[in-house]
Structures are given as C-alpha cells and as structure tokens.
Amino acid sequence: MTTSRALPPELRGRAFGVAEADAAGVSRERLRRADLRLLFHGSRAPSKGELTLLRRCLTYASRMPQPQVFSHATAAGIHQLRLPAHLQKHLMLHVSSVAPMRAPRVVGVVGHQLTPGAVRVVIHSGLRVVDAIDTWCQLAAVLSVRELVVIGDGLVCRKEPVATMDLLRQRVAGWSRRRGYRRLEMALALIRPGTDSATETELRLDLVEAGLPEPHVNAAIRAADGRFLALGDLVYPEYRVLTEYDGDHHRTADDQYFHDIDRHDDVMEAGWRSIRVNKSHRGDRRQLIVRKVRRALVERGWTP
C-alpha cells in the first residue's frame, strides 16, 4: 500500500485552496488522495475532523466574487446569533449574490439572489456578511416565532447588544411584503431587552404560555430597606418570587459558586422565594418548574 506524501506544514490540518497547493508545490495527484476531501470547487480539506464554520467561510471567501455575501444561517453563525440546534448543525454555506448576478451554484453552497439594497452588508472576521439584524429578518422565512424571539432577545441582550428595540422595529417595518414578515411582527411583540441567555428567553416564554404573569428580565432584587442584593434572571417583584438559571459555570467555577451561595442566602433572608433551574429541566421536566412558579405566586397572593 502506498503511503500518501505529507503535505507542506502550512497546509496541514486546515482547508486550503488548490491555488495555495500549487504555490506550495503539491501535485494534483496528491490532492486526489483519500486523506483530503473536496470542500468547494478549487479547495480541499482534511477528510477527518470537523472544520469550523469560520474556516469554511474563509476558504470559500478566497474564491468569492465581490457581489457575493454570506447570508441566512451562515451569517447567523458568523455573528454568533442564538440559533436553534437544527441550524447550528447545518453544514452547507449560505451565500447570496446581488442581482443581476445569479445565485451561486457551487457544491457545498446554498445559493440565493438578493435585489440591490435589500440588506445591509458588513465586514465581520474579514468576511463580507449580511449584518446581524437583516440576517435575523432573513431567517424569518424558515424559523418559528419562538425561535425568532430567542434570536431577537440576543440582539438586544444585556451585555454588548447589537441592536435596540427601536432599530428592530425599523428593520421589521422595512421587511414588509417579504417572506416571514408576519412572523417577525409576532416575534417583535415578544422580544424583551436585557436577557443573558437563550435559556432565560425559553423559560420566560414557557411561563407566559402557561398562563402565568410575565416576569421582569434581569431585574434588581432589593432588601426591605432598598439595599441592592442581586440581579435576578426572571423576577416577580410584586410577589417577591424569582427564577434563576444555574449554568455550568455556576457549578464549575469556585468563585462563582461561593458567590452564588452567599447571594442566595441574602435573597432568602430578605423574604424572596427563589426557584432554581438547570439544564435537567427540559422537556417534561420543564412543567415541574412551571408548577413551582405557579405555586409560589399563588402562595404570595397572585390570583390566577
């Protein structure tokens, strides 16, 4: 059995263009060996291992004409939007051409055609890509209202938001007569600024859909004398009830874990009812949390 000649060090373990291989002295016969796979026309990648989205985009960008941009789910991945799992695993790249240029027809690419001025284009990580808000609007053609709310909450999140509610309203208004407009309108009414994670959004929507009052997002928890105690994930100030999501970093980081214990004790001493949520509370177990919140609200004076 013939052993494949090793690639030059600068090409190993990553995707690369055939032009790069030619410049490095790699033969076309070597590029057809089983340890390499065709990524796009004019490019190769290692057969084993997973390529990151950014690496695949950078490889395609080396051959991408100027009127083309990354869009839809690929743009969402580049912007690190809060995508649902079924889109995170999507391996095809979404690339849009601006008319009159036709949609690209390339192996490994889902092609789209845009009318001039239909979306705003930015440079992100060295790539030409539809901006984050217009990407959200594009995804309305394939995502549910709930999934759009999760992404929208991320756009107006508490830390380093990329949009304001006013800007989202302007973009949605400009999306009329395009696919997904009605879903965007419905999602817009449910988006709340100031969230920290998709999990918070999902839980908030579950509580409201169960007929409970809508909680405040990342609201201040205060003692009877007005002293600040903590920032709660989902808070019912009038009933002194809150729910908090414990992510893995709360458990694995000692400083965070010790701080959480002290903070939780302070909140309990101030007369608050705290309901903790973790990643096990999914599917059927999510109703366990909904019931706990309902019971706590009723005990504190809420009338269903």
Side-chain angles (χ1 to χ4, degrees), residues 65-131:
Q66 181 70 12
Q68 290 185 1
V69 297
F70 293 105
S71 61
H72 298 81
T74 300
I78 293 170
H79 289 297
Q80 297 185 329
L81 303 186
R82 296 174 180 176
L83 281 175
H86 64 90
L87 282 189
Q88 291 177 19
K89 298 176 182 178
H90 191 67
L91 296 179
M92 303 281 278
L93 294 185
H94 287 260
V95 180
S96 293
S97 297
V98 179
M101 189 178 188
R102 293 183 178 180
R105 295 181 179 179
V106 179
V107 173
V109 169
V110 179
H112 307 267
Q113 187 185 52
L114 302 173
T115 57
V119 296
R120 294 143 186 90
V121 177
V122 296
I123 303 299
H124 190 293
S125 302
L127 301 168
R128 285 172 48 80
V129 57
V130 175
D131 87 342

Side-chain angles (χ1 to χ4, degrees), residues 17-285:
V18 171
E20 287 185 87
D22 288 343
V26 179
S27 69
R28 294 302 174 94
E29 187 276 333
R30 176 65 183 86
L31 296 180
R32 291 191 289 270
R33 297 291 179 88
D35 64 327
L36 296 175
R37 57 182 166 179
L38 175 68
L39 190 57
F40 313 107
H41 177 70
S43 66
R44 298 292 187 274
S47 295
K48 295 181 180 180
E50 183 178 356
L51 289 170
T52 64
L53 173 67
L54 184 59
R55 172 50 62 187
R56 287 186 288 128
C57 288
L58 288 169
T59 301
Y60 183 82
S62 66
R63 63 183 302 281
M64 187 167 72
Q66 181 70 12
Q68 290 185 1
V69 297
F70 293 105
S71 61
H72 298 81
T74 300
I78 293 170
H79 289 297
Q80 297 185 329
L81 303 186
R82 296 174 180 176
L83 281 175
H86 64 90
L87 282 189
Q88 291 177 19
K89 298 176 182 178
H90 191 67
L91 296 179
M92 303 281 278
L93 294 185
H94 287 260
V95 180
S96 293
S97 297
V98 179
M101 189 178 188
R102 293 183 178 180
R105 295 181 179 179
V106 179
V107 173
V109 169
V110 179
H112 307 267
Q113 187 185 52
L114 302 173
T115 57
V119 296
R120 294 143 186 90
V121 177
V122 296
I123 303 299
H124 190 293
S125 302
L127 301 168
R128 285 172 48 80
V129 57
V130 175
D131 87 342
I133 307 173
D134 281 349
T135 295
W136 173 65
C137 293
Q138 286 183 325
L139 293 175
V142 296
L143 296 185
S144 68
V145 171
R146 173 181 276 251
E147 290 168 335
L148 291 171
V149 174
V150 171
I151 296 176
D153 270 15
L155 293 173
V156 292
C157 62
R158 184 169 66 93
K159 297 179 180 178
E160 300 181 5
V162 300
T164 63
M165 289 302 300
D166 283 343
L167 186 54
L168 292 187
R169 293 186 189 99
Q170 291 173 17
R171 296 290 184 90
V172 171
W175 206 259
S176 61
R177 301 181 184 177
R178 289 193 254 184
R179 286 185 64 195
Y181 171 66
R182 179 57 183 155
R183 283 195 287 272
L184 283 173
E185 276 196 320
M186 296 171 67
L188 189 61
L190 297 171
I191 291 171
R192 300 292 180 266
T195 64
D196 282 334
S197 69
T199 308
E200 286 181 18
T201 300
E202 293 276 7
L203 180 56
R204 173 172 62 83
L205 295 176
D206 287 339
L207 294 173
V208 173
E209 288 174 7
L212 302 183
E214 181 171 347
H216 296 257
V217 175
N218 280 311
I221 309 298
R222 298 188 180 277
D225 59 5
R227 179 169 43 90
F228 176 82
L229 297 176
L231 202 65
D233 293 343
L234 300 174
V235 182
Y236 296 98
E238 60 272 47
Y239 303 108
R240 290 184 172 265
V241 172
L242 75 148
T243 65
E244 295 193 283
Y245 183 77
D246 291 341
D248 284 343
H249 70 285
H250 291 267
R251 176 176 52 81
T252 57
D254 285 348
D255 288 346
Q256 182 69 52
Y257 177 67
F258 299 147
H259 172 73
D260 286 348
I261 290 177
D262 292 339
R263 186 173 66 93
H264 184 259
D265 286 345
D266 291 341
V267 168
M268 296 292 284
E269 287 181 5
W272 285 76
R273 171 73 167 92
S274 176
I275 297 159
R276 310 295 285 268
V277 186
N278 57 53
K279 64 182 180 182
S280 74
H281 297 114
R282 297 173 179 170
D284 293 340
R285 282 181 56 79

